[in-house]
Structures are given as structure tokens and as C-alpha cells.
Amino acid sequence: MASPFELKSKGSLTDATIYPIDETCNGQQDPGEFDGSSVRKSISIPAARSLKPQLSTRPSGFGLGVSDEQTDQVELMRPPSEADFQGFPDAPTLHRLRQVSGLHVTDDTDPLRIPTNTGRPINFEGSLFAGKAILWTKGVPSQPRHLFKGQRRKSSITIQGRFKRPVVMSHFVTGPEFTRPFVNLPAKWFVEGVLLRIASRISPQMKFGPLSKPFLQVPVMSLAQKVVVSEPGEEPQLEGRPEEGADLYKAILEDTGGENSWDFKESPLSKEKVFDMDHVWTFHIHQHMVDMSTFTLHVLRHFDITHYLNGQPLQSMLKDRSTGEYAVSFEVWHEKLLENAEAYYEMKLASDSD
């Protein structure tokens, strides 16, 4: 009987270390085509050299007995001001690096005004992960012509780097999280009976937090459209490329596919598999649900989510939910959030000083 990790090669690659991807969510190129069925996903490996053939597993007892809902303690940051958006190429949106898990930039990027659509990687490091990120956003003034042409995707993030300790794959998650309740929500029956049901169809492994401190978490290996594991020095090139604009986005994405991809017939997301420290990992994730230029959610109809977020930003993040440590975390702000965000910040400062 075939191993659940048996592969069918689409190219002439040599044997390589294979890390499983869960199949219970859609793995099509554009998640907007989701039909609720189980389909194949792919993981890519550079053809230059073969990696070790055995699967990495966590040490005995590693990552066990810790609540899935544990979160990092987030220092209250002052929200951006209107002046931060003036002259900013992505206005009315703004990305910032969150002050969590020791995260800081290691180049000349301003961590409080991070531009997207430049094709230039942002270098960063934290207690869990060190690497680089490239961000793309549709609909903002900086958008390259033809970005995401013919596709429903609204934004994209590519993360590349190395872990500083092993991380259990099933604990490595992405998704938005918030520190206070939403406001002006639709009727409870609509939230629970419609919105959450749709979300659970997209990924049955999705976890939801309490309404007092909402979050939505999905294993990265269930949601990522592309994942590459490489020997150091052989990872896909993210910088110094001749392409520009939408051609650069396409070229980087193609580096994680084509002949260097594998199809999985069966690949359960085992709690025993880990991301190791020896290889370079590249994650490519895009989403089609939220238009970042307007903060509009597209589910059945269009919702202006700034009416519900209570002045809180969205996030692009990857984290170990068993410890609360973040590999990376970007806040995504919109100008429409500023009034409520500033009011809460001032109220919180006043209450803390009493």
C-alpha cells in the first residue's frame, strides 16, 4: 500500500524532504473559485539539490499541553495619524510592523509606514523567525498596472526565511485577531448561521475566538497557495530581479511553481511534523475576500468592515499558536479607522493612569 506521502512528480526532480499540506481546504490558484470540494495542493522544492528524504518530527512533548488560544502580550501602540497617510503611496491604507515577539526591521524600512507594491523585500527579525517579506495590494495608488489581472485576489504576501526553533506545523497559523469586541454586528443568526458557516467551508480547520476578543486562525499549511523548502542559498530569488511591477509579482510566484511542483494525493496535516531550522522556508499567501483599498468584505454582498472593527486594524501575520510567538505580523490600517482608534487609545491611556 502506498505511503500517504508518496508523490507524483511533474518534473524531473530528485527525491527531497517533503512536508505535508492539508487537503481539506481549496488549493486552486485562485481561492475565489472555491466550490467546497477537497482538491490537491502543491509544495515546491528547488531542483538544484536534493534535501534529506526523512520527515522532521518534533521532540517528545514539544508543543504539547498549551492552549490553542494563547496569544502574545501586545503593547498598546498609538494608532497612525492622518499625517502618516499624507503623501503615502498606499493611502488610504497603511501597513505597520507590530511590536510583538521582538519583531523589528533590519533594513532602512520605516516600520510604521511600510509601502507595498514595490517588489522590494522588507527584512525583519524576531524571536521566532528571521527573514524578508514582499507585500502586494490591489486598488491603491501604488498598484502596478495589470497586478492580479484576470484574478479575484485582492492582496498577497510572500514570507521567506528561517525558523529559530522547530515549530509544529499544525500550530503555525495565520488570520486576523483583535483585542476588543466588534461593534454594530449583524443579527447573531447571520453571523453564526451564514458567515461562520461559509468560513468553515473554506477551511474546516479554521478556529474562531470569543466575541470578547475575536480571532480567526487557519493553519498556514492549509491556507498557503505555495510553500517552498530550500537549502540555504538555493531559495527562490526575491530581490535584485530585472522584472518590475506586475511582471515582478508574476515572476516571483512562478519561481514557486512550474516544473518544481509536486501534487499530493493524500497529505494529512500531522501534529508531529515541524518546520525545521536547517532550511529556508518560503510561504506565498493571497486572499480575495477583503478589498484593502476600501476595507470592504466580499461575502454574499459587500460589507464596509470599518463599521464593525471598533477602530482596530487587520493583520497579515504568521504565528505559533501554542506559544503565542509571531514569525511576522503586519498591521493593515485604513484611514476610516482613525477616529475610533484614536478615541479608544486616549480612553485606554486615561484609564491606565487612574
Side-chain angles (χ1 to χ4, degrees):
M1 188 168 106
S3 160
F5 298 102
E6 183 176 345
L7 308 176
K8 178 179 287 187
S9 172
K10 293 172 63 178
S12 57
L13 299 182
T14 55
D15 290 340
T17 304
I18 301 304
Y19 295 83
I21 297 181
D22 183 75
E23 287 188 289
T24 56
C25 72
N26 176 40
Q28 301 177 56
Q29 184 80 0
D30 186 347
E33 301 171 358
F34 175 67
D35 62 4
S37 62
S38 178
V39 297
R40 293 181 180 181
K41 296 197 72 176
S42 65
I43 187 168
S44 307
I45 299 172
R49 292 176 58 187
S50 95
L51 307 178
K52 299 176 182 178
Q54 62 267 31
L55 290 164
S56 296
T57 58
R58 64 181 174 188
S60 176
F62 178 82
L64 295 174
V66 184
S67 169
D68 283 343
E69 297 183 9
Q70 183 169 340
T71 57
D72 201 5
Q73 295 299 313
V74 180
E75 181 181 348
L76 182 65
M77 291 176 60
R78 188 177 199 103
S81 66
E82 292 183 1
D84 292 322
F85 289 84
Q86 292 177 359
F88 190 64
D90 294 339
T93 66
L94 176 71
H95 284 68
R96 308 198 308 181
L97 188 69
R98 295 176 74 199
Q99 296 178 350
V100 291
S101 302
L103 284 170
H104 60 281
V105 297
T106 56
D107 55 25
D108 60 357
T109 303
D110 182 349
L112 300 182
R113 299 179 85 216
I114 297 176
T116 68
N117 297 328
T118 66
R120 175 193 173 193
I122 301 109
N123 294 278
F124 65 89
E125 184 170 1
S127 59
L128 179 63
F129 191 86
K132 59 189 70 173
I134 295 183
L135 305 164
W136 303 90
T137 308
K138 185 176 182 178
V140 297
S142 64
Q143 174 198 320
R145 188 181 180 188
H146 303 312
L147 180 69
F148 306 144
K149 183 179 180 181
Q151 301 162 331
R152 295 179 61 188
R153 61 194 67 173
K154 302 293 192 298
S155 64
S156 170
I157 183 171
T158 299
I159 303 292
Q160 183 180 89
R162 297 177 71 173
F163 290 90
K164 295 186 174 182
R165 61 169 174 79
V167 175
V168 178
M169 285 187 177
S170 60
H171 290 172
F172 197 54
V173 298
T174 185
E177 49 190 17
F178 306 91
T179 59
R180 54 187 185 272
F182 297 146
V183 295
N184 306 318
L185 286 176
K188 185 177 180 180
W189 68 265
F190 183 75
V191 174
E192 296 182 350
V194 179
L195 297 183
L196 296 187
R197 183 171 296 180
I198 291 174
S200 64
R201 285 189 62 200
I202 294 174
S203 178
Q205 297 196 26
M206 194 174 290
K207 288 182 176 290
F208 303 96
L211 292 180
S212 60
K213 196 174 183 180
F215 67 77
L216 186 156
Q217 295 178 350
V218 187
V220 171
M221 293 296 273
S222 290
L223 193 67
Q225 283 76 29
K226 305 268 186 180
V227 176
V228 186
V229 53
S230 314
E231 294 277 14
E234 298 178 1
E235 61 271 17
Q237 183 182 1
L238 300 188
E239 54 196 348
R241 304 183 65 110
E243 303 91 351
E244 296 181 357
D247 290 336
L248 175 58
Y249 167 79
K250 182 179 178 181
I252 290 174
L253 183 61
E254 286 177 346
D255 273 359
T256 62
E259 293 186 355
N260 291 350
S261 65
W262 300 80
D263 284 338
F264 285 71
K265 291 185 176 179
E266 297 180 24
S267 49
L269 187 61
S270 170
K271 292 184 178 180
E272 297 301 320
K273 301 300 177 287
V274 300
F275 297 105
D276 64 21
M277 299 179 293
D278 299 325
H279 296 106
V280 178
W281 293 88
T282 306
F283 304 95
H284 179 86
I285 302 173
H286 61 249
Q287 63 85 27
H288 73 288
M289 305 292 287
V290 178
D291 184 338
M292 296 298 186
S293 68
T294 60
F295 261 44
T296 303
L297 173 67
H298 299 257
V299 178
L300 301 182
R301 62 186 182 90
H302 295 178
F303 298 86
D304 183 344
I305 58 175
T306 60
H307 294 317
Y308 313 110
L309 293 180
N310 200 4
Q312 300 175 92
L314 297 177
Q315 302 89 36
S316 286
M317 67 84 171
L318 306 177
K319 71 181 289 186
D320 181 350
R321 73 178 175 209
S322 69
T323 65
E325 266 187 303
Y326 291 83
V328 69
S329 183
F330 296 103
E331 297 177 345
V332 188
W333 286 89
H334 196 280
E335 284 183 310
K336 294 185 290 186
L337 294 169
L338 298 187
E339 183 177 352
N340 288 339
E342 183 65 25
Y344 175 81
Y345 179 81
E346 296 295 341
M347 180 192 69
K348 183 67 174 174
L349 286 183
S351 64
D352 289 346
S353 62
D354 292 342

